Amino acid sequence: MSSGTHGKEGSAPMWKALGPHLPCGAPGVGVSTLDVFLTSHHRQEERPESIAYPHLRIRIKPFVGDGNRTLSHNPHAHILPPGHDE
């Protein structure tokens, strides 16, 4: 039962069915990772315009710190209510 199956036969039939497909998936994951790594350095995306919509970024309680930035704030990707961090 600890393997995630709840039948009497166990997980052997599942692994027999998945076994031939696992070696085919690993190169695909590797090629996709390489593609993302090589193309991500060449693109320089522009920041979207900061539009102050009234229904976005509603603060009921302030965040820890200055009130706007979370602990995982990324100044390049996240837009604050007054606009972008510079």
Side-chain angles (χ1 to χ4, degrees):
M1 289 201 136
S2 65
S3 65
T5 60
H6 298 288
K8 293 180 182 178
E9 65 275 352
S11 62
M14 177 189 69
W15 288 110
K16 280 187 178 182
L18 290 177
H21 302 289
L22 291 177
C24 298
V29 170
V31 168
S32 298
T33 303
L34 182 65
D35 179 51
V36 168
F37 178 73
L38 293 176
T39 60
S40 66
H41 298 293
H42 298 294
R43 284 184 278 170
Q44 192 69 302
E45 297 180 11
E46 293 183 18
R47 291 182 173 183
E49 182 182 348
S50 177
I51 301 173
Y53 291 113
H55 63 282
L56 294 178
R57 296 180 284 276
I58 297 173
R59 305 284 193 259
I60 296 172
K61 290 193 285 185
F63 290 121
V64 177
D66 70 347
N68 277 331
R69 293 171 183 84
T70 63
L71 294 176
S72 62
H73 179 73
N74 181 354
H76 181 73
H78 299 142
I79 301 174
L80 296 174
H84 290 287
D85 280 347
E86 295 299 331

